[in-house]
Amino acid sequence: MQALLLREEGYAVERAEIWYAETRQRVHITVDDAALRDVTDTVTRAWRVASDPSAPPPLRDSPKCARCSLVGICLPDELDALQTPPKQRRPLKRLMAPVLEGRPVYVTLQGAVVGVRSDRLEVRLSGELKASYRLIDVSQV
Ligand code: SF4
């Protein structure tokens, strides 16, 4: 993507590098027409997914899910189990709440306003109270 932006501004870009800090790995990338077409196609697909009102299906058996903050509402293993005949199902992983003193609050209402009033977290839509939680029970929003 960065290479595309630089090329658009008139720079010659023939190679790029991505540094993964956690694994301390550097990946070299040749920036050619095929790679730029791949990026353009990926961005086009991403825009298509973002403009679709329904969520895409969850990933299947992906290592990304274990550390994803959305796993509690996305439920990829559970949905996979529901779509798999009972005899072929993998055992479900147990969901473990990492923070015992609070629960995360996921706000999925388009246009919702989140605020704090009298030690409570409130979620409102067009001024109407939709949900209210004691702050002490909330670990993150
Ligand atoms: S849990 Fe996260 S990574 Fe896995 S499918 Fe859902 S959104 Fe994607």
Side-chain angles (χ1 to χ4, degrees):
M1 188 74 189
Q2 187 73 27
L4 269 175
L5 294 171
L6 288 169
R7 277 193 169 194
E8 209 171 279
E9 290 301 314
Y11 291 93
V13 183
E14 289 161 10
R15 65 186 183 89
E17 295 175 349
I18 297 176
W19 171 251
Y20 293 95
E22 193 169 321
T23 55
R24 304 195 58 74
Q25 224 178 345
R26 186 180 306 276
V27 176
H28 299 270
I29 298 165
T30 303
V31 178
D32 55 15
D33 288 342
L36 293 176
R37 251 194 322 276
D38 274 357
V39 171
T40 307
D41 290 348
T42 302
V43 170
T44 305
R45 283 199 313 273
W47 275 111
R48 199 176 310 131
V49 169
S51 64
D52 191 334
S54 53
L59 299 171
R60 293 190 91 168
D61 201 20
S62 169
K64 294 175 184 169
C65 298
R67 297 174 64 187
C68 176
S69 63
L70 297 175
V71 72
I73 55 173
C74 183
L75 302 173
D77 290 345
E78 289 76 3
L79 286 177
D80 186 39
L82 288 173
Q83 294 164 349
T84 306
K87 289 190 176 168
Q88 296 167 18
R89 282 185 195 158
R90 292 176 289 123
L92 292 178
K93 294 179 207 139
R94 288 185 62 200
L95 290 178
M96 305 293 279
V99 183
L100 297 175
E101 62 272 10
R103 303 281 176 168
V105 173
Y106 296 97
V107 182
T108 57
L109 289 169
Q110 182 78 29
V113 174
V114 179
V116 175
R117 185 174 294 169
S118 304
D119 287 336
R120 293 189 73 87
L121 184 88
E122 294 184 347
V123 181
R124 292 179 178 272
L125 188 64
S126 303
E128 183 187 337
L129 185 65
K130 292 292 182 183
S132 174
Y133 309 96
R134 296 184 316 166
L135 277 180
I136 198 171
D137 294 330
V138 176
S139 64
Q140 59 181 305
V141 178

